[in-house]
Amino acid sequence: MSPSTIDYPDVFVSEFRGVRSLHLASEINADTSCAPIQGSMRLAVPDQIELEYVQQMNLWMLFDMLPKHIVQLGLGAASLTKFCYRHFPDALVTAVDLNPKVIAMCREQFKLPPDDDRLRVLDMDAFDFVRNRARHGTVDVIQVDLYDAEADGPVLDSPEFYEACAACLTPEGMMTVNLFANDVQRRKNIEAMQEYFDVVVWLPEVHDANVVAIAFKTAPEIDFEILYQRAAILRVNYKLQAPVWVNGLKAWMLREED
């Protein structure tokens, strides 16, 4: 079946108290008021990241502030794509989403800029993107947030998928993943990542069962004093709750040492 003949879920928008949110329609979510939120934007500050877990997807910024190529797998409401495009002017930003209706809605309602020489928004399957050998070893950061209309766990969660993601990364590359899932699904994803990454760390759960994990292609040197200094800069300059991330990393390390 060609992409043009696939019946993609419809996309709709809701607004509440100055926040615009993107949703996917489905048979299960016939009552659109109950459809899961795929992403949000505060109308007064459209370039800031509204949702806490989406902010956490930038956890990699504690370790690398000079990426050359950043990739988002799953566009959502384009929060990560806009953020990276704005704050990393020397980086190529590539976003991948299978649903052309999502891309169109982000252009129309969520202030996603048009493509140019450093922004590419691709209408394609994320698995096809990462298993293309031409991309292997070319990406510094991958941000994975892949959910369908039902949002019942990540739509790509196999060892083969995470192997391909790891192959796309440079030796010092990192991947962040939103694990909106039950405990069994979450463990399945983490174990799959651990097969192909030196270290996989995850932050404490935030609202609505979102857990963000970061996978390092090569294990980093961790100095918490330095990380807290960087986190303070991220909080002031980028409006990110980064000191909380460092607390989460420290809590994870203490658990692993027990």
Side-chain angles (χ1 to χ4, degrees), residues 132-250:
N132 184 331
R133 292 182 179 275
R135 297 188 175 95
H136 288 185
T138 67
V139 180
D140 298 288
V141 176
I142 299 177
Q143 298 169 297
V144 183
D145 194 3
L146 293 167
Y147 290 84
D148 59 17
E150 282 74 40
D152 184 22
V155 295
L156 292 175
D157 60 4
S158 67
E160 292 79 13
F161 170 67
Y162 289 120
E163 179 183 23
C165 288
C168 283
L169 290 171
T170 59
E172 303 300 321
M174 292 167 284
M175 175 180 70
T176 53
V177 183
N178 176 35
L179 297 176
F180 177 71
N182 60 41
D183 289 343
V184 173
Q185 293 170 320
R186 193 171 295 145
R187 174 52 56 184
K188 172 186 175 182
N189 279 265
I190 289 171
E191 289 177 352
M193 285 183 249
Q194 288 172 331
E195 291 188 42
Y196 301 103
F197 290 84
D198 268 7
V199 179
V200 180
V201 182
W202 53 97
L203 296 180
E205 181 179 309
V206 293
H207 57 85
D208 296 330
N210 289 285
V211 169
V212 169
I214 183 167
F216 297 90
K217 186 83 172 283
T218 302
E221 294 289 334
I222 293 182
D223 182 323
F224 281 104
E225 182 177 352
I226 293 175
L227 291 184
Y228 276 117
Q229 292 171 357
R230 293 173 181 169
I233 294 171
L234 296 185
R235 180 176 59 185
V236 173
N237 292 349
Y238 300 91
K239 312 302 181 186
L240 300 172
Q241 298 304 311
V244 178
W245 309 348
V246 182
N247 292 341
L249 294 175
K250 181 177 284 188

Side-chain angles (χ1 to χ4, degrees), residues 6-17:
I6 297 175
D7 186 17
Y8 294 104
D10 287 330
V11 181
F12 66 96
V13 168
S14 65
E15 289 188 15
F16 181 69
R17 295 182 177 177

Side-chain angles (χ1 to χ4, degrees), residues 31-50:
D31 179 2
T32 56
S33 65
C34 298
I37 291 174
Q38 302 286 337
S40 297
M41 176 185 73
R42 187 166 294 276
L43 298 175
V45 282
D47 286 340
Q48 289 187 20
I49 298 178
E50 176 67 16

